[in-house]
Amino acid sequence: MFISSYYFSGAFLLEQLVMAVALHPISGTLVGCIGCMYFVESIAKEQPSSMNLMTFSTFLFISLEGLIFTSKFFAVPNKIPIRGYLPTVITFFFVNIINNQALNFHVPVPLHIIFRSGSLLASLIFTKILQGKQYSLRKYLAVLSITVGIIICTTATAHLEKTDEKKAVDSVEKHYQEWLIGLTMLTIALLASAYLGICQETMYKTYGKHTEEAVFVIHSTSLPLFAFMGGDIYKSAVEFSRSYPMDIFGFRVPHMWAYLAATCVLQWMCISFIYRLNATFESLTVTMVVTIRKFLSLLISIVWFRNPFTLAHWVGAALVFTGTLAFADIWTNHTGTAKENRKKKY
């Protein structure tokens, strides 16, 4: 009896250990990505003009981590030549700068999250035009759902921007025009991100998939491009240093620098765990986790930061997230997997 219970306990612990290992990339992705979005929004609320500093800092942090642990201070030779990275580097830099700068033009984070979920739409258009790929009717309907959802959310936000009673008429008009600029930036970034996916796919097909090296090289080779924004980055750094201090392990640190440090660490964590997620789980699970992450980030942005979110926004968000899951054929794949499991069982 003692022996059987001992083995039962051992098996139970082993099962729990396996579950913990399996959940590690999932929980890491959720914590890293959601935490990162929280601090990004915190920075955007207090210092919306500091997006270039934030982008530069995250690039620098990820580059330093890659220099130490991936490149081993350039002791490990690249498997992909620098020329193979160039299209990806330029597009990646452009997408990140534009996406983050959109927050400086009064684009609320909930709309930012929903709008960026439209990457499937842009990817479908680009891959069909540039690569001639064919898609099923279900995928077209899924993308249509995403498109309608984004349009509904954008229209609802536009209505809120136009009817803000807290601002003077001139201020509302100026605010709305700047918001339109931000929306245009998001649209351009959305299209560019789809092209980025094609660049990465082409690069991996040509040279092989070396993700850790790619993360390091893409971020590090982008750093010189920030020289064009040096003045703006320095100005934001000065403003960060003037922010009120907070106690961290007994040290008084300007809170904006603390927020920025947290953003960098969590961004690195988010990227690292997403790569682990892709390596550990099938694409269906990855899509589910990413969708859940976006939805939770959306909830935090609405509840914690009190961003306005009307019924129209909820309808639009539901269409976007449902379309995303439908595009991944989640229900079909789930049914298929269940049938296969039943066949194996019997």
Side-chain angles (χ1 to χ4, degrees):
M1 182 70 179
F2 173 76
I3 295 174
S4 62
S5 63
Y6 172 80
Y7 279 114
F8 174 77
S9 300
F12 176 76
L13 288 173
L14 181 61
E15 182 183 352
Q16 293 301 307
L17 181 62
V18 170
M19 285 293 292
V21 171
L23 289 173
H24 183 54
I26 296 176
S27 58
T29 300
L30 292 175
V31 171
C33 297
I34 294 172
C36 180
M37 278 306 301
Y38 169 82
F39 283 105
V40 166
E41 185 160 6
S42 297
I43 293 171
K45 289 282 186 185
E46 287 197 48
Q47 297 282 353
S49 61
S50 64
M51 293 299 102
N52 285 333
L53 172 61
M54 186 188 72
T55 309
F56 170 72
S57 299
T58 54
F59 273 54
L60 180 62
F61 182 86
I62 292 170
S63 298
L64 290 174
E65 188 276 337
L67 177 67
I68 298 168
F69 297 104
T70 302
S71 176
K72 313 289 185 187
F73 295 97
F74 302 111
V76 179
N78 286 349
K79 296 178 177 64
I80 302 175
I82 294 297
R83 68 176 181 276
Y85 280 109
L86 285 179
T88 302
V89 168
I90 294 169
T91 311
F92 182 77
F93 174 80
F94 177 77
V95 168
N96 276 272
I97 289 293
I98 296 297
N99 264 328
N100 289 336
Q101 274 297 324
L103 295 171
N104 192 24
F105 287 85
H106 315 302
V107 174
V109 169
L111 181 62
H112 198 279
I113 293 169
I114 292 168
F115 210 92
R116 290 181 68 178
S117 298
S119 57
L120 286 174
L121 166 64
S123 296
L124 184 142
I125 293 171
F126 269 79
T127 52
K128 186 164 180 63
I129 294 173
L130 299 179
Q131 297 179 325
K133 287 188 177 180
Q134 299 298 320
Y135 295 94
S136 65
L137 177 61
R138 175 175 294 178
K139 290 193 184 292
Y140 283 111
L141 291 175
V143 167
L144 178 63
S145 172
I146 293 169
T147 306
V148 172
I150 290 173
I151 291 172
I152 290 173
C153 287
T154 305
T155 306
T157 305
H159 177 71
L160 290 175
E161 292 290 330
K162 284 182 175 179
T163 58
D164 191 346
E165 296 177 355
K166 295 179 181 178
K167 298 184 180 74
V169 176
D170 293 342
S171 179
V172 168
E173 186 62 30
K174 182 175 180 292
H175 194 277
Y176 179 67
Q177 289 175 357
E178 290 176 350
W179 176 80
L180 286 176
I181 294 172
L183 194 66
T184 304
M185 293 171 74
L186 275 184
T187 305
I188 294 170
L190 194 68
L191 296 172
S193 66
Y195 179 68
L196 173 64
I198 294 174
C199 289
Q200 289 175 321
E201 186 180 338
T202 304
M203 181 179 72
Y204 289 144
K205 280 182 179 178
T206 305
Y207 301 103
K209 199 168 186 178
H210 308 284
T211 51
E212 290 186 358
E213 176 191 300
V215 170
F216 165 62
V217 174
I218 290 169
H219 283 84
S220 59
T221 51
S222 298
L223 290 176
L225 299 174
F226 285 98
F228 297 104
M229 307 162 194
D232 180 69
I233 291 172
Y234 176 76
K235 181 182 176 183
S236 297
V238 171
E239 291 175 355
F240 272 38
S241 298
R242 291 173 179 168
S243 63
Y244 66 82
M246 61 188 300
D247 284 316
I248 300 178
F249 302 116
F251 295 96
R252 302 283 284 174
V253 180
H255 78 281
M256 292 302 291
W257 283 115
Y259 287 179
L260 186 60
T263 302
C264 292
V265 173
L266 290 166
Q267 174 77 347
W268 165 78
M269 184 177 169
C270 176
I271 292 172
S272 300
F273 277 109
I274 282 178
Y275 277 117
R276 291 187 195 180
L277 200 66
N278 280 305
T280 308
F281 296 97
E282 59 185 11
S283 59
L284 177 63
T285 305
V286 175
T287 303
M288 280 290 294
V289 173
V290 170
T291 304
I292 291 169
R293 184 262 293 180
K294 289 180 180 178
F295 182 71
L296 292 176
S297 295
L298 186 67
L299 286 181
I300 291 171
S301 182
I302 296 164
V303 176
W304 186 267
F305 292 98
R306 300 183 183 279
N307 283 304
F309 211 73
T310 64
L311 178 61
H313 284 100
W314 282 115
V315 171
L319 286 170
V320 169
F321 290 128
T322 303
T324 302
L325 296 175
F327 191 90
D329 288 330
I330 177 172
W331 295 284
T332 305
N333 287 344
H334 179 74
T335 306
T337 305
K339 287 179 180 177
E340 287 175 9
N341 289 338
R342 282 198 295 270
K343 285 180 182 178
K344 288 178 182 177
K345 186 175 180 180
Y346 296 108

